[in-house]
Amino acid sequence: MIKYKTKEEIELMRQSALLVSKTLGMLAREIKPGVTGLHLDRLAEEYIRDHGGIPGFKGLYGFPNTLCISPNEQVVHGIPSDKPFEEGDIVSIDCGVLMNGYYGDHAYTFAVGEIGPEVQRLLDVTKESLYKGIDQMRLNRRIGDISYAIQQHAESHGYGVVRELVGHGLGRKMHEDPSVPNYGRRGSGKKIKEGLVLAIEPMINMGTHRIVQYPDGWTIKTADGLPSAHFEHDVALVNGKPEILSTFYYIYDALGLPTGEEDAFRSRPLSLEDY
Ligand code: MG
Ligand code: MG
């Protein structure tokens, strides 16, 4: 059953989403060759607790860490390790928090140093497909419209769309109804209504869409060993339109990148009180 949120709940969820966003922004300043996932995991846990949150993934279904860190051919659910990142790696980091009773859930795929143009294109197209999906989150459209837009964009570039792992409703639970697949048919699925809050999160592979799981019972990797990217925003339906609650602003600020891409999906600009 879908739990629609009130305006007050959405404001609380915005705070949770901003805390995960700031956590990823903090990590963006740390990611470089030689750094380990375990180091980032410790930094993130400390940062979240210092800012009044609780790591949302740690202990959830038994997951051992604060961050899911999935380099290169790993898709999602990677366990932070002591293996140093290398120049040219990509690293998908997924972060959850629980604050004021509501979850935030946010992911970004980072480049470690300089990456090749083919891999950069995978990152760009995956992020574009996220925004194409968000743009379909409009009153009385359907979940399948989001799914279709993501799939069309990714596949038009020859990429594989992961089937087994999907976006989801978000709220007092990390995973609520409805599921938001990254593939599907236009006009199918549940109708989108006011107060719906979704975590939309395309997981896009450079090659085959097929995946396999590591013996650790968590880590998902591509079946062909080619790289995979993952970007995730928390989005609420407010006044019939998508309102992005999370933000890549802090990451772009850290990396010196332009910050305007979310502006079309935000009713008010980020203000000083958000810092
Ligand atoms: Mg996530
Ligand atoms: Mg999620």
Side-chain angles (χ1 to χ4, degrees), residues 61-265:
Y61 315 119
F63 189 76
N65 291 87
T66 294
L67 301 174
C68 295
I69 301 187
S70 311
N72 300 322
E73 77 283 1
Q74 294 184 15
V75 179
V76 286
H77 301 169
I79 297 177
S81 84
D82 58 4
K83 183 175 180 286
F85 302 143
E86 293 176 19
E87 178 85 19
D89 284 348
I90 55 168
V91 182
S92 298
I93 301 187
D94 196 345
C95 181
V97 303
L98 177 61
M99 195 167 71
N100 300 318
Y102 292 90
Y103 281 97
D105 183 16
H106 194 41
Y108 191 89
T109 301
F110 295 89
V112 181
E114 292 290 319
I115 61 171
E118 282 190 4
V119 180
Q120 183 63 54
R121 187 165 148 268
L122 173 68
L123 302 192
D124 293 344
V125 169
T126 303
K127 187 145 61 68
E128 287 161 16
S129 72
L130 168 62
Y131 289 110
K132 300 243 179 219
I134 290 171
D135 195 37
Q136 292 297 317
M137 188 175 167
R138 310 262 169 190
L139 188 67
N140 292 332
R141 290 196 197 164
R142 291 179 184 271
I143 298 295
D145 296 326
I146 299 172
S147 307
Y148 176 83
I150 292 170
Q151 180 180 20
Q152 282 303 111
H153 190 64
E155 290 186 349
S156 74
H157 288 81
Y159 296 145
V161 176
V162 173
R163 306 291 200 269
E164 294 85 345
L165 299 145
V166 297
H168 49 93
L170 185 72
R172 288 192 170 275
K173 292 200 176 131
M174 174 67 80
H175 297 114
E176 297 188 352
D177 282 339
S179 289
V180 185
N182 296 304
Y183 65 97
R185 281 184 301 115
R186 233 182 323 206
S188 69
K190 292 255 163 60
K191 236 182 209 180
I192 293 166
K193 292 195 222 161
E194 194 71 11
L196 181 67
V197 181
L198 299 177
I200 302 178
E201 49 178 318
M203 288 154 257
I204 306 297
N205 300 343
M206 187 180 277
T208 179
H209 67 80
R210 288 199 307 278
I211 55 171
V212 291
Q213 191 170 42
Y214 278 18
D216 65 19
W218 283 106
T219 311
I220 304 290
K221 70 180 273 294
T222 57
D224 58 9
L226 289 174
S228 181
H230 179 212
F231 292 86
E232 178 177 27
H233 268 313
D234 301 337
V235 193
L237 195 78
V238 178
N239 301 325
K241 291 186 301 200
E243 166 94 12
I244 300 184
L245 304 178
S246 50
T247 177
F248 295 139
Y249 176 90
Y250 302 102
I251 294 171
Y252 296 155
D253 188 45
L255 301 179
L257 298 172
T259 57
E261 70 186 19
E262 300 159 2
D263 291 355
F265 302 117

